[in-house]
Amino acid sequence: MNNTRLENKETNHGMMVQAAALSVAVLMYTSSMTTPALGEIAKAFPNETSESIQLISSIPSLILVVFSLISGWLSSKISIKKCILISSIFMLAGAFPAFIGDFKFLLVTRVIYGIGYGIVAVMAQAVITDLFDGKKREKMIGYNNASGAMAGVVFQTFGGFVAAYNWRYTFLGFLVAIPIMILIWTKLPETPVNKVEQNGEKISIKDKYTSNIYVVCIVTLLVWILSFTFLIDMAMYMGEGNVGTAANAANALSIVTLVAFVIGLTYGKFVGIFKQYLSCVSILFFAIGFIIASRAQSVAVYYVAAIVYGVGFGSFNPTYTLKAASSVKKPEYTPMAISFFICAMGLGQFLSPYIMLFIKNTFNLGSIAKADWVIASVLLIVIGAVDLITTKMKNSNVVEEQVI
């Protein structure tokens, strides 16, 4: 089976196969469609609290934490292609509120959509590592993130535009899952199921993954707890400083996404320049973006901060996806390793506001202007420095082993 998988990766997949593989990332970014419509939805349901309205966006992220892990297990039972098609069916539930239902029905559909979202978030990366190897894998991971970033911009723009006419129209965008399902069904090759012969014996974690998988998950969790504050605090901090408008804050976030798109397209070159140090470089770009933003007094400076942050945003995820994929002892465990990474990322985003509030209250930092960003910049520098030191130590050990 391993030989079959290796041969499959060595196949020169055509443009339609590559397009089908990249379309999974587009499917994942449909999650951004509803965010611009929350204001109109709140008007349509005036008896609902703001916290209840925010559940429309947060429920899929919560479900992702659970089903990102389940998806890794699922890929050991059925092929990645079937996993993607099943998740697409669940995600179609996102379109139901366009036609029928009250607020409770809307939330139920978000739970169903979240199941598909949690599975596809892993499969969007796993399908690339399953079909491609070497330099081609690096390029495709970059293109994958670029496709997702551009899709996010398109979906956010669509959601905001049609919501001005009727909030229900926003949910029509989830019907994009139908042509994507057709593309995947007809063009994505069926690869072997990620099964491992166990001979009745239970395989331990250390026999499946290297110790690096723990490092990947811990760093990803910490980085996203800290870096996510840039995205959720932008509008609030610009408003508190009387700098720009809500539209300017939206533009800053769009800049982040557009920069991530460019980084995705050129990711292979980034790997060639920074090599094994790209992980710490991406974290330090996050930190520098926070430093600039925490001192910003004009819209232009906020935009500069968004550009720098966007470089970190666009390079961190593909780098750590590849790190997770390389932390397995057998290729059959790759989808599960990626699911650990996705789970850590989703959990970090969910915990971010609570952890940052805990830090501020514990150390009495609430009076500091833009406290979340100041804390994030300091801690990200520490994490980046630790990553740099450990990377150098690993390189030194490799050199010593080669000399011996």
Side-chain angles (χ1 to χ4, degrees), residues 48-61:
E48 301 295 336
T49 65
S50 60
E51 289 78 13
S52 296
I53 298 297
Q54 289 171 355
L55 286 174
I56 297 170
S57 289
S58 62
I59 282 177
S61 296

Side-chain angles (χ1 to χ4, degrees), residues 393-404:
M393 290 175 62
K394 288 179 182 178
N395 290 341
S396 298
N397 292 336
V398 170
V399 172
E400 289 178 3
E401 289 176 1
Q402 290 175 344
V403 171
I404 294 173

Side-chain angles (χ1 to χ4, degrees), residues 46-337:
N47 294 328
E48 301 295 336
T49 65
S50 60
E51 289 78 13
S52 296
I53 298 297
Q54 289 171 355
L55 286 174
I56 297 170
S57 289
S58 62
I59 282 177
S61 296
L62 290 175
I63 304 298
L64 175 143
V65 174
V66 177
F67 277 86
S68 61
L69 293 177
I70 292 176
S71 65
W73 168 83
L74 187 63
S75 67
S76 68
K77 306 300 179 184
I78 59 176
S79 69
I80 287 178
K81 179 177 179 177
K82 288 187 174 69
C83 287
I84 295 169
L85 291 172
I86 290 172
S87 66
S88 302
I89 295 172
F90 279 105
M91 295 182 81
L92 274 175
F96 292 168
F99 308 102
I100 56 173
D102 57 9
F103 188 75
K104 289 182 180 179
F105 177 79
L106 196 162
L107 294 184
V108 170
T109 64
R110 298 305 287 165
V111 172
I112 299 172
Y113 168 85
I115 294 172
Y117 177 58
I119 297 173
V120 85
V122 174
M123 295 303 133
Q125 315 297 331
V127 69
I128 302 298
T129 60
D130 199 50
L131 291 175
F132 307 97
D133 212 350
K135 295 293 183 181
K136 186 64 175 180
R137 176 191 282 189
E138 292 177 357
K139 286 184 178 180
M140 288 299 292
I141 283 288
Y143 293 158
N144 195 50
N145 281 268
S147 300
M150 183 52 65
V153 173
V154 172
F155 290 145
Q156 283 181 327
T157 303
F158 169 82
F161 178 76
V162 299
Y165 295 93
N166 189 312
W167 67 268
R168 288 189 182 274
Y169 294 167
T170 300
F171 294 88
L172 289 172
F174 291 99
L175 294 175
V176 73
I178 295 175
I180 291 177
M181 286 174 66
I182 295 172
L183 177 62
I184 291 168
W185 177 264
T186 57
K187 298 299 179 182
L188 193 69
E190 191 82 58
T191 54
V193 178
N194 294 306
K195 288 184 177 180
V196 178
E197 296 298 331
Q198 299 186 25
N199 297 321
E201 296 181 4
K202 186 176 181 180
I203 301 176
S204 64
I205 293 293
K206 67 179 182 180
D207 292 327
K208 297 179 180 179
Y209 315 101
T210 68
S211 59
N212 194 50
I213 192 65
Y214 299 107
V215 177
V216 169
C217 291
I218 292 171
V219 172
T220 300
L221 177 66
L222 294 176
V223 166
W224 274 107
I225 286 174
L226 299 169
S227 65
F228 198 56
T229 61
F230 191 92
L231 305 178
I232 61 178
D233 288 343
M234 176 63 73
M236 181 180 68
Y237 283 159
M238 289 185 75
E240 289 178 355
N242 294 317
V243 178
T245 63
N248 294 131
N251 289 339
L253 298 181
S254 295
I255 288 172
V256 171
T257 308
L258 289 172
V259 171
F261 168 74
V262 175
I263 297 301
L265 292 179
T266 57
Y267 181 72
K269 293 182 179 180
F270 265 71
V271 174
I273 295 171
F274 296 107
K275 297 181 172 61
Q276 67 270 29
Y277 296 105
L278 184 54
S279 59
C280 61
V281 169
S282 64
I283 295 171
L284 292 174
F285 266 108
F286 271 137
I288 295 169
F290 274 113
I291 292 172
I292 296 172
S294 64
R295 296 175 175 273
Q297 298 295 326
S298 67
V299 172
V301 177
Y302 273 106
Y303 288 172
V304 171
I307 293 172
V308 177
Y309 177 93
V311 176
F313 184 80
S315 56
F316 179 84
N317 282 348
T319 300
Y320 270 79
T321 297
L322 292 171
K323 277 180 173 287
S326 63
S327 299
V328 299
K329 293 188 176 180
K330 290 183 179 180
E332 289 78 8
Y333 300 120
T334 300
M336 195 68 211

